[in-house]
Amino acid sequence: MQTVKMVITGPFSAGKTEFIQSVSEIDVVATERKISSDAERVKEDTTVAMDFGRITVDDDLVLYLFGTPGQRRFDFMWEILSEGMLGFVVLVDSVRPETFREARHILEVFSSYASTPYVIAANKQDLPDAWSPEDVRIALKIDRDVKVLGCVARDKETVKNVLLELLYSILENMQAEEE
Amino acid sequence: MALKGRLQDFSTTQLLNLVNMARKTGKLSLNDQTDQGAMLHFKDGRLIHATNNADEGHLAAMLYKVGKLTEDQVNVIKKQYNGSSDRVMGKYLMDARLVSRADIVQGVKDYMLNIVYDLFTWNDGTFLFEQDILPAKDRITVPLNLDNVILEGSRRIQEAVVLQDELPDLSTIALKITDKPLRDVKLTQDDWRVISHIHPRNSVKQIAQNNNMDEFQIRKIVYGMLQAGIVELIRPEGLQQKRAKPPVSRRGKKMAAQSPAEKRSVVTKLIDRIKRI
């Protein structure tokens, strides 16, 4: 059986766990802990190791979704998770611009691990103060040839759209490499 | 006077007991049959420093081994501080806010314990204890009471026997994640490190190597996950192919690698599947 892997990364509290939960066919295995730092107390729990979701395609093919830990002190996991990935999604919290610098840093780090395609998902588009995907693109200095997509991690359809756009980019990348 | 002998005659547990009871100060060197070696330093019956000949032995390498630094960070530090004392390196690491003082102490402690616990499983080899030899002054030492080390080491010997029986040769088994619902499963960081490397082509031995884990650690983690029903044992894909395949032809080799068309087909299948979610 062939297994393929995609990584869902992004700053603390960007919505990575919810994103994977929306499309995984198994209960997402997450290692959550109570937040201990006051500075990061914007939610009760955080993922300290990683999330893990699965989508079975057929008897011969399975897609695994790995979510990275949100807090910087667990970034030693990033390189491990990035090994052999088909592509990755950088999830951005569109209502917390103070996390954009961190998102940019994460993007640079993951791009350095592997030259696989990626997309940016501007999450929490359902909230009134959300920055638009285009504004997120500018804030993060994302090239025009990289897709920046709006999404709501709890909404399956928008999550599917992000994954599909990533897969289209992967396909285009494969075709370009062949030419 | 130096004490020397063979581990099959005087075990690691007995050696540490001796050092502990006699409150010895000195250096204990151990070598197994494969030329794997370790050096332990003691002061007044307490373990203060440990190294092995497989690692580089400087502070950054120790902290990498126990997960406090990344490989990239170690490479940068090595370039700048190669040949410097551990104290100088430690100061740099703290000034650069890569680790705290507590991280260094805990990291050195964990590193020492990993080495010592591994020694409990050595059944064969030689030892030499040289009185009053201390580690070089530039080394960072952390004193550890041997009572607890001996207790934990002895427990590990018993576990190692069970684990050896439960899991055969690690290079001939791979892991597969089961379909069991994983609700409320609590996994440690080390469990996750193992899970992230699970692939039909990766033997358990390769997973251990990728994660810098020793045989005891990986056996313990895999055994725990087997008991919880999270994973099951399979034969590594490469191994099956090696046994099943007739002598390799050039054409066969070509078929083994996925062609661009096959790769595209995988992505297309994924697209179709996600559309149907």
Side-chain angles (χ1 to χ4, degrees), chain B residues 77-114:
Chain B
I77 294 159
K78 260 171 63 182
K79 274 183 198 155
Q80 289 180 350
Y81 287 86
N82 203 14
S84 302
S85 75
D86 280 353
R87 290 180 193 281
V88 170
M89 202 180 271
K91 186 171 182 318
Y92 162 75
L93 292 171
M94 287 191 289
D95 289 346
R97 294 173 183 264
L98 292 172
V99 290
S100 64
R101 182 181 293 273
D103 283 332
I104 292 177
V105 171
Q106 189 61 46
V108 172
K109 187 177 162 185
D110 291 346
Y111 179 81
M112 286 162 57
L113 287 173
N114 284 344

Side-chain angles (χ1 to χ4, degrees), chain A residues 125-151:
Chain A
Q125 289 295 312
D126 55 333
L127 298 182
D129 294 334
W131 286 41
S132 71
E134 202 44 42
D135 289 346
V136 169
R137 176 192 292 280
I138 295 164
L140 264 63
K141 301 187 181 75
I142 305 295
D143 286 346
R144 284 278 151 204
D145 54 357
V146 175
K147 294 169 186 167
V148 181
L149 310 150
C151 86

Side-chain angles (χ1 to χ4, degrees), chain A:
Chain A
M1 185 175 70
Q2 185 175 2
T3 58
V4 287
K5 173 164 90 175
M6 284 185 187
V7 171
I8 314 300
T9 186
F12 167 75
S13 191
K16 300 179 287 292
T17 304
E18 281 182 324
F19 184 95
I20 297 174
Q21 269 168 351
S22 291
V23 288
S24 174
E25 66 195 18
I26 58 168
D27 294 324
V28 171
V29 183
T31 310
E32 304 260 324
R33 290 284 181 274
K34 295 286 172 201
I35 303 290
S36 54
S37 155
D38 284 340
E40 290 170 334
R41 201 180 291 280
V42 295
K43 60 175 184 171
E44 285 298 307
D45 299 289
T46 190
T47 303
V48 296
M50 62 184 184
D51 300 312
F52 169 71
R54 186 182 68 191
I55 298 169
T56 304
V57 177
D58 55 33
D59 289 345
D60 300 320
L61 183 61
V62 174
L63 170 66
Y64 289 128
L65 299 174
F66 286 98
T68 61
Q71 292 172 296
R72 281 291 281 273
R73 64 176 179 275
F74 299 107
D75 61 8
F76 66 91
M77 292 290 294
W78 293 356
E79 192 165 4
I80 297 169
L81 291 176
S82 68
E83 281 173 25
M85 64 185 172
L86 197 60
F88 63 97
V89 175
V90 181
L91 207 59
V92 180
D93 184 340
S94 307
V95 294
R96 295 180 63 221
E98 66 270 27
T99 65
F100 290 175
R101 188 191 294 268
E102 174 72 358
R104 178 74 215 176
H105 167 73
I106 292 171
L107 169 58
E108 284 167 1
V109 172
F110 270 85
S111 300
S112 72
Y113 291 150
S115 58
T116 51
Y118 60 89
V119 296
I120 313 294
N123 189 25
K124 306 187 186 179
Q125 289 295 312
D126 55 333
L127 298 182
D129 294 334
W131 286 41
S132 71
E134 202 44 42
D135 289 346
V136 169
R137 176 192 292 280
I138 295 164
L140 264 63
K141 301 187 181 75
I142 305 295
D143 286 346
R144 284 278 151 204
D145 54 357
V146 175
K147 294 169 186 167
V148 181
L149 310 150
C151 86
V152 178
R154 282 191 305 272
D155 175 6
K156 189 164 68 176
E157 289 307 314
T158 63
V159 172
K160 278 170 59 180
N161 181 53
V162 170
L163 293 177
L164 286 170
E165 290 296 340
L166 174 58
L167 286 163
Y168 295 141
S169 294
I170 292 166
L171 208 51
E172 286 163 15
N173 191 52
M174 284 175 173
Q175 282 159 348
E177 277 179 0
E178 282 173 47
E179 286 163 11

